[in-house]
Amino acid sequence: MSEAVISMENVSFSYENKKVLDHIHFSVPQGSFMGLVGPNGGGKTTLIKLILGLQKADSGNIRLFSQPIERFNDWNKLGYVSQKANAFNKGFPATVYEVVSMGLTAKIGYLRFFQKKHKEKILEAIAQVGMEAYTHENIGNLSGGQQQRIFIARSLVSDPELLILDEPTVGVDNENVQRFYELLDHLNRNRGITMLMVTHDTGTIAEQATEIACLNKTLHFHGKPEAYKSLTNEEWSHIYGHNIHLVTHDH
Ligand code: ADP
């Protein structure tokens, strides 16, 4: 059994009086590709915020790389890529190279000059996502799918061991979604980067992930894609159905 890079024991969390996560037991084994699905408002983003230390659990324990999160300070081990909604607009005055270099500032500090090894690292990360031809292109001129590749590159410069992706394929067209999955698959298998990906794409994720978790306030399912694919309609409606009003909940 491989070690868990993330483990949660009995974790609960509320926004004011509203319970969003209820006694969650969850773990992400090292080297796995975990797909996290569930209805809108089911608590997926909140779970990610707890893992990133942006929110604190009301109760329970969270460990990152076997360290209690309260004592964890090796944040370079985590890369995070959010929805395309946070992407750069046309005209944003930065090149692909500059955007990827931002991934290193956490490591070497702002306003320090990059050394040769840093420049090499930046170019290597851009090459890893197959975007060499765009190195000096303005980021705003790239398509949504291309920008997402650049955000992955920005995470890769600090050699993360875990990549957390929150609906990274929203707004990316079908053909590029497939290529994007191929990239994630490559990073997972060949670079050994553990993946935790939040997605609404309940079909494709079953083909890509090595494990799936379904969250709707509680963890309704956590297992292999084969078991996930054989969930019955009744089980599906249990996960999605009786809280369906949450789907339209605006947040
Ligand atoms: P998901 O990512 O699965 O769509 P979220 O974690 O974003 O779910 O949201 C879970 C619930 O918490 C939703 O009902 C949402 O409205 C609520 N929520 C999210 N963020 C906040 C916040 N900052 N303050 C209060 N309620 C929030």
Side-chain angles (χ1 to χ4, degrees):
M1 186 73 190
S2 51
E3 248 178 69
V5 294
I6 301 170
S7 75
M8 292 188 156
E9 272 172 21
N10 230 356
V11 167
S12 296
F13 178 83
S14 303
Y15 289 108
E16 288 155 18
N17 292 328
K18 181 178 176 186
K19 191 162 255 191
V20 175
L21 298 172
D22 192 9
H23 294 95
I24 305 291
H25 288 270
F26 178 57
S27 68
V28 178
Q30 188 169 37
S32 63
F33 188 148
M34 174 74 69
L36 180 61
V37 302
N40 275 337
K44 301 180 295 300
T45 299
T46 303
L47 188 91
I48 300 297
K49 285 183 179 166
L50 294 183
I51 294 166
L52 295 174
L54 301 173
Q55 293 282 4
K56 195 175 174 310
D58 300 332
S59 57
N61 298 311
I62 302 177
R63 286 176 169 265
L64 299 176
F65 297 92
S66 308
Q67 283 270 321
I69 193 165
E70 298 78 14
R71 294 212 299 272
F72 185 76
N73 57 14
D74 220 351
W75 294 101
N76 272 324
K77 285 188 173 177
L78 276 73
Y80 171 64
V81 177
S82 66
Q83 295 190 15
K84 197 215 146 216
N86 300 328
F88 295 104
N89 294 324
K90 244 185 164 36
F92 187 87
T95 64
V96 162
Y97 181 90
E98 287 165 340
V99 169
V100 174
S101 73
M102 290 171 195
L104 274 181
T105 49
K107 214 170 196 171
I108 63 174
Y110 283 99
L111 303 176
R112 297 231 185 111
F113 289 108
F114 288 132
Q115 296 166 2
K116 186 161 175 268
K117 64 173 182 189
H118 297 129
K119 289 183 180 159
E120 280 166 5
K121 197 96 201 148
I122 294 164
L123 294 175
E124 186 191 308
I126 296 171
Q128 284 211 344
V129 300
M131 291 293 287
E132 304 94 311
Y134 298 86
T135 304
H136 301 293
E137 188 71 51
N138 201 302
I139 184 86
N141 293 339
L142 270 50
S143 72
Q146 290 173 324
Q147 289 198 9
Q148 281 301 54
R149 299 177 89 83
I150 299 307
F151 295 135
I152 299 269
R154 183 175 60 181
S155 308
L156 291 179
V157 284
S158 56
D159 288 326
E161 292 177 34
L162 165 67
L163 211 48
I164 297 177
L165 306 121
D166 195 352
E167 296 192 43
T169 58
V170 168
V172 176
D173 60 74
N174 274 346
E175 189 191 334
N176 285 314
V177 165
Q178 195 46 45
R179 291 190 56 208
F180 189 72
Y181 271 115
E182 283 164 19
L183 170 64
L184 298 183
D185 189 58
H186 162 75
L187 294 172
N188 177 240
R189 283 173 199 257
N190 303 333
R191 293 237 355 224
I193 300 176
T194 305
M195 299 282 170
L196 170 58
M197 176 169 167
V198 172
T199 180
H200 275 114
D201 197 350
T202 49
T204 313
I205 195 66
E207 308 305 324
Q208 304 291 334
T210 59
E211 308 214 6
I212 310 265
C214 300
L215 181 68
N216 188 5
K217 193 162 139 185
T218 60
L219 201 63
H220 286 259
F221 171 86
H222 179 185
K224 298 286 172 205
E226 297 72 37
Y228 164 80
K229 282 191 259 184
S230 57
L231 286 173
T232 61
N233 280 345
E234 198 185 348
E235 287 166 319
W236 271 109
S237 65
H238 186 59
I239 299 169
Y240 279 81
H242 65 174
N243 267 337
I244 207 80
H245 62 281
L246 286 176
V247 173
T248 54
H249 197 113
D250 208 8
H251 64 277

